[in-house]
């Protein structure tokens, strides 16, 4: 199964360290391979270093790819945390 | 590549056709002049919008246009002279645009990809094909002077293997994401993205700064990539090289480098294996250098006689 979705980051700080850590923790709970993509750079959604290099600011768009048996569940959970602005106020 | 055409840029990669040329075919063989890309979202483009380059827009936007707006829209679209137009989320054709592209000889491509996914895919290809640059997953280390890219799936132990190598006095270039650039015809150079330079992620420890922990000698800003060691899960049924067999190769940006696949077993010491790969490579280079010297000497002696 393959899922692809794009998200606009709405939280003030964009994809900063804490947000990236949260994303990695969520991605790592799933068996599917998860990739984040921005401006042609594709990084592993289960590794914090790659995500930090994307340097995605507020208003930036990232595309998430999930591939594997639990891709749909993974995508739903990732969508939830991005749309909840990573729990920021 | 000296001249990059649209065909080179948007043709299928690895057999996967994602961009379909539907109009303006005459223009597809033209040289690509400006490696820029714009997203058209419907608003006025403004005078700051660059001329030339590619243009991506969504099928939904096209469909939402009322007939009177179409003409104005198409005029505005072509006023900035795009070199090609890509319609994302395409579920059908859009005759007015097809006709306009045909008469202007501007190649029109359709893709099922979303707007941002299509933009990202084209940017990646531009980076690779126009600039000879790409990003690879893995850890790049310099072992006895040989740049080795350690690849393999997430969680297989690439970083842990690299950490052991650093502990033995070798150097870290980049963890997780490696910025690769083709130099000349046959060589690759790798370095780390600036933001995460000299950091590693070790499960259980989190992020560690290798330069502070091990000192400046334990890191290198960049290194040629000479060998790819791929860590693969150990499986009973997989057949691995038992004797030094034919050499596998991995093509990166059109450059072939040796690929060594190493099965990972608990208790095995990956760092030692990577060290041996580096030494083997050194030995091979040394042998090549020696034979070149011998040949040169023979040549010289012929002329001296």
């Amino acid at each position: 199964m393959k899922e692809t979705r794009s998200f606009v980051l709405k939280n003030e700080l964009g994809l900063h360290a804490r947000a990236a850590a949260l994303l990695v923790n969520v991605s790592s709970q799933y068996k599917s391979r998860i990739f984040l993509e921005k401006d042609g750079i594709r990084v592993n959604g289960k590794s914090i270093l790659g995500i930090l290099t994307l340097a995605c600011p507020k208003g930036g768009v990232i595309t998430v790819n999930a591939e594997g048996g639990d891709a749909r569940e993974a995508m739903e959970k990732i969508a939830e945390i991005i749309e909840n602005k990573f729990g920021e106020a | 590549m000296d001249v990059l055409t649209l065909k080179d840029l948007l043709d299928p990669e690895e057999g996967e056709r994602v961009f379909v040329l539907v109009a303006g075919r005459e223009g597809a063989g033209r040289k690509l002049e400006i490696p820029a890309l714009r997203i058209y979202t419907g608003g006025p483009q403004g005078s700051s919008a660059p001329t030339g380059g590619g243009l991506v827009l969504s099928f939904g936007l096209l469909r939402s246009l009322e007939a009177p707006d179409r003409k104005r829209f198409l005029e505005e679209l072509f006023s900035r002279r795009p070199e090609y137009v890509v319609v994302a989320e395409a579920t059908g054709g859009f005759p007015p645009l097809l006709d306009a592209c045909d008469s202007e000889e501007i190649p029109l491509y359709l893709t099922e990809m979303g707007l941002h996914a299509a933009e990202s895919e084209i940017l990646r290809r531009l980076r690779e094909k126009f600039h000879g640059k790409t990003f690879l997953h893995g850890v790049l280390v310099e072992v006895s002077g040989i740049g080795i890219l350690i690849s393999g799936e997430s969680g297989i132990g690439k970083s842990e293997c690299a950490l052991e190598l650093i502990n033995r006095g070798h150097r870290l270039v980049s963890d997780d994401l490696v910025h690769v650039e083709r130099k000349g015809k046959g060589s690759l150079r790798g370095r780390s993205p600036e933001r995460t330079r000299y950091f590693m992620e070790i499960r259980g420890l989190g992020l560690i700064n290798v330069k502070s922990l091990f000192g400046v000698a334990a890191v290198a800003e960049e290194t040629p990539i000479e060998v790819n060691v791929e860590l693969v899960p150990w499986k009973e049924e997989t057949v691995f090289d038992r004797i030094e067999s034919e050499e596998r190769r991995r093509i990166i940006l059109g450059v072939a480098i040796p690929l060594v696949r190493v099965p990972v077993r608990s208790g095995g010491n990956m760092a030692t294996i990577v060290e041996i790969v580096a030494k083997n490579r050194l030995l091979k280079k040394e042998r090549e250098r020696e034979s070149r010297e011998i040949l040169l000497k023979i040549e010289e002696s012929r002329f001296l006689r």
Side-chain angles (χ1 to χ4, degrees):
Chain A
M1 210 182 337
K2 208 172 162 178
E3 296 266 329
T4 303
R5 265 170 84 175
S6 295
F7 301 93
V8 180
L9 293 187
K10 294 179 195 134
N11 59 315
E12 278 308 315
L13 299 168
L15 211 43
H16 59 100
R18 197 192 309 269
L22 188 63
L23 202 60
V24 168
N25 282 343
V26 168
S27 303
S28 302
Q29 287 164 14
Y30 298 91
K31 281 215 167 82
S32 294
R33 287 149 51 89
I34 292 165
F35 292 99
L36 268 59
E37 209 177 311
K38 181 178 174 283
D39 299 337
I41 304 174
R42 197 172 150 91
V43 302
N44 189 343
K46 295 180 181 177
S47 157
I48 193 162
L49 280 174
I51 296 179
L52 288 177
T53 56
L54 289 183
C56 192
K58 183 185 182 182
V61 181
I62 54 164
T63 302
V64 181
N65 291 290
E67 268 179 70
D70 53 7
R72 180 163 300 160
E73 292 91 324
M75 187 63 86
E76 269 167 24
K77 190 72 191 169
I78 290 168
E80 190 186 310
I81 62 162
I82 294 178
E83 266 145 29
N84 282 338
K85 301 181 182 177
F86 303 97
E88 286 170 32
Chain B
M1 198 173 296
D2 300 319
V3 174
L4 185 73
T5 68
L6 261 183
K7 264 180 89 66
D8 302 323
L9 185 71
L10 296 177
D11 259 12
E13 269 186 0
E14 286 151 21
E16 220 178 325
R17 175 174 291 278
V18 285
F19 300 103
V20 183
L21 179 63
V22 291
R25 287 169 205 280
E26 290 79 7
R30 262 201 302 262
K31 181 183 171 225
L32 200 61
E33 298 285 349
I34 298 159
L37 193 67
R38 293 177 279 147
I39 282 202
Y40 188 84
T41 45
Q45 297 192 72
S47 53
S48 62
T51 323
L55 186 69
V56 190
L57 51 111
S58 78
F59 189 61
L61 177 74
L62 284 177
R63 283 248 302 240
S64 68
L65 291 174
E66 302 288 336
D69 291 334
R70 277 183 197 159
K71 198 168 166 298
R72 192 186 51 79
F73 165 79
L74 287 176
E75 272 169 14
E76 200 179 303
L77 194 71
F78 289 119
S79 69
R80 300 248 157 228
R81 306 294 316 159
E83 293 174 58
Y84 56 98
V85 177
V86 176
V87 177
E89 292 151 11
T91 46
F94 185 71
L97 183 61
L98 287 170
D99 296 340
C101 283
D102 264 336
S103 64
E104 301 267 341
E105 291 187 8
I106 293 174
L108 174 68
Y109 290 84
L110 302 184
T111 177
E112 285 179 353
M113 267 192 272
L115 193 62
H116 294 284
E119 180 203 22
S120 195
E121 173 69 17
I122 298 170
L123 286 174
R124 181 186 65 76
R125 292 183 181 200
L126 276 172
R127 185 176 296 121
E128 264 186 51
K129 295 176 178 174
F130 203 93
H131 302 287
K133 289 178 184 173
T134 190
F135 287 90
L136 291 177
H137 292 273
V139 191
L140 183 60
V141 281
E142 197 185 276
V143 181
S144 311
I146 300 286
I148 295 187
L149 177 73
I150 304 170
S151 61
E153 62 191 50
S154 178
I156 200 157
K158 300 183 290 288
S159 299
E160 288 76 4
C161 171
L163 190 62
E164 175 61 26
L165 287 164
I166 294 160
N167 214 10
R168 295 182 190 184
H170 303 295
R171 308 167 89 183
L172 172 76
V173 181
S174 190
D175 182 26
D176 191 50
L177 198 64
V178 183
H179 193 164
V180 186
E181 196 172 343
R182 186 179 54 220
K183 292 278 178 184
K185 274 214 158 72
S187 72
L188 299 168
R189 286 195 83 80
R191 58 188 170 82
S192 59
E194 212 165 323
R195 275 172 74 95
T196 54
R197 187 159 291 165
Y198 310 142
F199 273 91
M200 288 186 90
E201 186 192 9
I202 301 293
R203 260 149 242 217
L205 297 180
L207 293 179
I208 61 166
N209 184 334
V210 171
K211 196 175 171 183
S212 331
L213 280 169
F214 292 89
V216 281
V219 293
E221 201 163 311
E222 60 166 51
T223 189
I225 304 176
E226 298 192 48
V227 187
N228 180 192
V229 173
E230 188 189 0
L231 304 182
V232 292
W234 196 88
K235 278 193 207 122
E236 203 70 55
E237 62 270 25
T238 322
V239 180
F240 288 99
D241 294 347
R242 297 300 161 109
I243 45 169
E244 196 185 4
S245 61
E246 92 291 9
E247 209 172 59
R248 284 198 183 80
R249 306 210 148 246
R250 176 170 180 195
I251 314 280
I252 299 167
L253 293 171
V255 178
I257 59 167
L259 170 69
V260 183
R261 297 178 73 212
V262 180
V264 175
R265 267 178 110 170
S266 58
N269 193 329
M270 291 303 124
T272 304
I273 293 175
V274 174
E275 275 183 328
I276 300 302
V277 169
K279 282 178 186 170
N280 251 337
R281 177 78 187 164
L282 270 177
L283 206 61
K284 206 173 163 212
K285 278 170 84 171
E286 184 61 19
R287 257 184 269 154
E288 281 169 4
R289 195 185 60 79
E290 276 174 0
S291 54
R292 259 201 316 274
E293 269 177 13
I294 291 168
L295 283 173
L296 212 66
K297 273 183 189 157
I298 295 170
E299 284 289 305
E300 277 171 2
S301 62
R302 267 194 6 206
F303 285 116
L304 286 174
R305 217 169 23 197

